[in-house]
Amino acid sequence: MKALEATRLSKTYRKAKQPALSDLDLAVESGQVFTLLGRNGAGKTTVLRIASTQLLPSSGRAEVLGLDAVKQAKELRERIAIAPQEAETVYPLTPRDHILLSLRMRGNEKRDAVERTQQALEDLELLDVADVNSDWLSGGLKQRVIVAMVVRTDADLVFLDEPTIGLDPLSRRRIWEQLTRLKGSGKTIVLTTHYMDEAEALSDSLVIMDKGRLMASGTPQTVKAMVTDRAIRVDVFDRFSQSELAKYGHVVPIAGRYRVLADAEGARGLGDEAVARRAKIAIGPVSLDDVFVDIVGVREGDEGGG
Amino acid sequence: MRNPLFIAFVFSTPFTLLFILFVASDGTALPFGLAGALTMITTELGLFVWTDLASYKLQNRFQDMVVASPVSPLTYMFGVALSELIFGTPALVIVFALMWSQGAAAGALVAASGVVVLLWTTATSLGFFFSAYAPNTQNAFVINGFITTMLSVLPPAYYSVKVLPAYIAPLAYVVPTTEAASLFQGAIGLGYSIPPVLSLAVLVAATAAMLALVSFKMKWRES
């Protein structure tokens, strides 16, 4: 069964020159972790906001858990939960208040909500700060509170918009564990992220979006396989120009160096030439990060490898 | 009640004006001051939903979580509005106690409570209406303070409409706070500066109009 199915979904915001979404088709199977990848402005949040009944599409259809996200929003809201992008804690509530409020507004009885709140606090390791004014918490702890507000709900589908942004590696992994646990309990998770390692570690399937369009979709493995003819990554730090590197593979300029996605022959040739020129290079297998850059490309003003 | 500062905020301006009137008039203007304070407290409690809603919607995204939940828009609006009223309850209780000490009858105080509910509903609706257009929380806070002053200090709330020049008075009559203040002034024994039936009619009409405007303009889901 599909947990989310978008058909020719489009959205153009008022006063916007470009559409945020253009004829997007996508499908999410139930019980999966599904990830929307893309740079800022790719349309990831717009998809989430339409599917979670917060935003009306300009055209097209979004069916969530078998319900029309526009016409059956009321029924749908009983079965979904969202941790929005850039959500912040509310002064002067404590983490315990936040989670309890979230559960109570979803209709959980008080005793049940209190128990679940305790579980959520344990899940996200927030017990030590459970009754502290949220304003006094660090950014990472606040972000964990936001995620804790949805991890123990009865929602069949949980949307998380960049849930680990700005977190340290340990906190990120703590959230990953919760998402894995949620998936284990049969829930569907739709998340957006900029972190390729996160998408690779968590996702059963993913899509790469750019400028409101679908650029690639599949499992992390199938998406990576899209560049199987260029399965080796060679980072070239000096002594080569972009035009010189073009004959070895697909060249992407990244943060003062060049990344060449090459096949075995190209990599070997480039390696030999680099040795002859005494150039500094690094070789490794392509990652989802490389695929993303390969598909979406690098534009002026972009930083790093996407 | 984790934020006692807000309770102090509710007290600050209305009671400062009340104190100035009391001292400057040697106590004789206290009843007018009480009618004005009650008008101002009720108005600011209603309008303050604007600032909170702007914060929930634009700053901490709490409203996004509520929209994607079984909570209905009406429940959410009522909850936010009621939370403001709870913070204002101590101030309202003190004003009512002072009105009683000034000789207001129990029946008059009950009637004044009804007027408080009407004015609060009007001001709250106005707050909800403005919140739909708030571009950011900072502006919401500043403009909110300005509108509260325009509605509850400038019009005849702390004074009688009868002292206004004839060419301005008609403007004051269409402001709901003028009508509410006149009813409060009557309840405290100062006499009604506007016929109470007329004040009540204007207040009810303003409340109905504001509720209609809000139900028409407020959008739970963005388009």
Side-chain angles (χ1 to χ4, degrees):
Chain A
M1 186 197 164
K2 299 275 187 294
L4 167 60
E5 195 162 16
T7 312
R8 297 183 66 80
L9 199 61
S10 297
K11 177 69 191 178
T12 304
Y13 290 100
R14 249 176 290 169
K15 295 180 183 173
K17 289 176 184 168
Q18 300 292 328
L21 289 181
S22 297
D23 289 333
L24 188 80
D25 292 319
L26 60 83
V28 181
E29 293 294 331
S30 289
Q32 283 197 343
V33 175
F34 179 85
T35 304
L36 294 149
L37 279 169
R39 69 177 89 209
N40 293 330
K44 308 181 299 290
T45 298
T46 303
V47 174
L48 247 63
R49 299 197 76 222
I50 291 172
S52 61
T53 75
Q54 295 174 58
L55 182 69
L56 290 167
S58 301
S59 63
R61 180 180 161 87
E63 199 169 274
V64 183
L65 301 168
L67 298 165
D68 188 307
V70 175
K71 294 173 185 161
Q72 295 171 290
K74 196 178 171 191
E75 295 92 323
L76 180 56
R77 285 168 181 152
E78 304 270 350
R79 300 179 58 194
I80 58 169
I82 186 166
Q85 188 182 14
E86 294 173 354
E88 290 175 17
T89 51
V90 178
Y91 175 81
L93 301 183
T94 66
R96 191 186 300 280
D97 293 332
H98 279 87
I99 302 165
L100 191 63
L101 177 65
S102 166
L103 291 162
R104 292 286 282 153
M105 76 185 189
R106 301 198 58 78
N108 292 75
E109 294 297 324
K110 191 174 180 185
R111 180 178 291 187
D112 177 50
V114 168
E115 282 174 17
R116 286 171 188 247
T117 298
Q118 191 68 16
Q119 286 170 342
L121 288 166
E122 287 170 18
D123 291 341
L124 273 302
E125 295 187 19
L126 289 164
L127 278 174
D128 288 347
V129 293
D131 300 305
V132 171
N133 184 331
S134 296
D135 256 22
W136 300 345
L137 304 179
S138 66
L141 283 171
K142 285 179 183 173
Q143 184 63 26
R144 273 153 62 184
V145 172
I146 299 298
V147 175
M149 289 172 78
V150 295
V151 295
R152 286 288 173 181
T153 64
D154 278 327
D156 298 316
L157 174 53
V158 180
F159 296 98
L160 296 122
D161 200 352
E162 298 184 7
T164 61
I165 196 151
L167 293 184
D168 64 71
L170 287 176
S171 296
R172 283 177 69 205
R173 273 161 182 76
R174 203 163 285 138
I175 288 178
W176 291 7
E177 285 167 16
Q178 288 313 308
L179 300 188
T180 307
R181 183 190 60 74
L182 274 178
K183 181 189 152 190
S185 64
K187 296 181 190 304
T188 308
I189 296 150
V190 176
L191 74 138
T192 72
T193 183
H194 289 293
Y195 302 121
M196 300 299 146
D197 60 333
E198 185 163 291
E200 205 162 355
L202 291 173
S203 312
D204 294 298
S205 58
L206 58 87
V207 293
I208 295 176
M209 295 177 66
D210 193 41
K211 294 181 180 175
R213 293 181 183 278
L214 199 68
M215 305 299 285
S217 65
T219 65
Q221 289 71 33
T222 56
V223 171
K224 276 201 285 186
M226 288 176 177
V227 290
T228 45
D229 59 329
R230 302 185 297 273
I232 300 171
R233 177 185 69 195
V234 185
D235 283 347
V236 182
F237 295 89
D238 55 14
R239 296 177 194 247
F240 281 90
S241 68
Q242 186 168 357
S243 57
E244 285 175 318
L245 292 168
K247 64 181 176 185
Y248 300 108
H250 180 65
V251 186
V252 183
I254 297 170
R257 65 182 191 276
Y258 294 110
R259 176 162 290 176
V260 183
L261 303 179
D263 58 16
E265 192 183 337
R268 195 179 303 117
L270 177 54
D272 291 345
E273 185 60 26
V275 170
R277 293 191 192 190
R278 296 189 174 195
K280 192 174 166 189
I281 63 169
I283 300 177
V286 292
S287 64
L288 196 56
D289 203 73
D290 301 317
V291 177
F292 181 83
V293 173
D294 190 49
I295 291 171
V296 173
V298 176
R299 292 184 208 128
E300 204 174 327
D302 286 347
E303 287 178 22
Chain B
M1 286 297 165
R2 303 232 181 89
N3 192 0
L5 207 60
F6 188 72
I7 298 176
F9 172 80
V10 174
F11 272 91
S12 58
T13 313
F15 279 81
T16 302
L17 290 171
L18 179 63
F19 177 74
I20 292 168
L21 274 180
F22 176 74
V23 173
S25 70
D26 209 12
T28 55
L30 180 64
F32 273 111
L34 288 171
L38 191 53
T39 307
M40 190 175 194
I41 291 164
T42 309
T43 306
E44 73 179 3
L45 286 177
L47 281 174
F48 213 80
V49 294
W50 178 11
T51 312
D52 270 358
L53 285 174
S55 171
Y56 295 152
K57 184 179 171 185
L58 303 170
Q59 191 174 323
N60 50 43
R61 306 272 172 189
F62 175 67
Q63 191 169 308
D64 287 355
M65 298 180 98
V66 180
V67 172
S69 83
V71 174
S72 72
L74 207 61
T75 305
Y76 175 66
M77 289 165 78
F78 190 68
V80 173
L82 206 60
S83 71
E84 308 293 352
L85 196 60
I86 288 169
F87 273 109
T89 303
L92 290 173
V93 167
I94 289 173
V95 172
F96 271 97
L98 289 170
M99 284 168 77
W100 182 72
S101 76
Q102 291 295 302
L109 291 178
V110 171
S113 305
V115 176
V116 164
V117 171
L118 276 176
L119 182 60
W120 174 73
T121 308
T122 306
T124 302
S125 305
L126 198 60
F128 278 119
F129 175 74
F130 285 134
S131 77
Y133 299 96
N136 56 58
T137 49
Q138 288 85 355
N139 277 356
F141 193 83
V142 172
I143 301 170
N144 196 13
F146 174 74
I147 293 178
T148 301
T149 305
M150 288 296 108
L151 283 178
S152 55
V153 179
L154 200 59
Y158 281 89
Y159 58 93
S160 170
V161 71
K162 289 175 181 171
V163 303
L164 278 177
Y167 60 92
I168 293 179
L171 277 178
Y173 288 125
V174 295
V175 180
T177 43
T178 304
E179 309 297 340
S182 172
L183 291 167
F184 294 145
Q185 288 161 5
I188 212 167
L190 290 166
Y192 297 98
S193 46
I194 303 166
V197 176
L198 182 63
S199 289
L200 204 59
V202 172
L203 209 49
V204 169
T207 306
M210 285 313 303
L211 283 172
L213 190 67
V214 166
S215 60
F216 181 68
K217 276 290 177 189
M218 282 289 283
K219 287 190 174 73
W220 192 228
R221 175 159 40 180
E222 287 175 43
S223 57

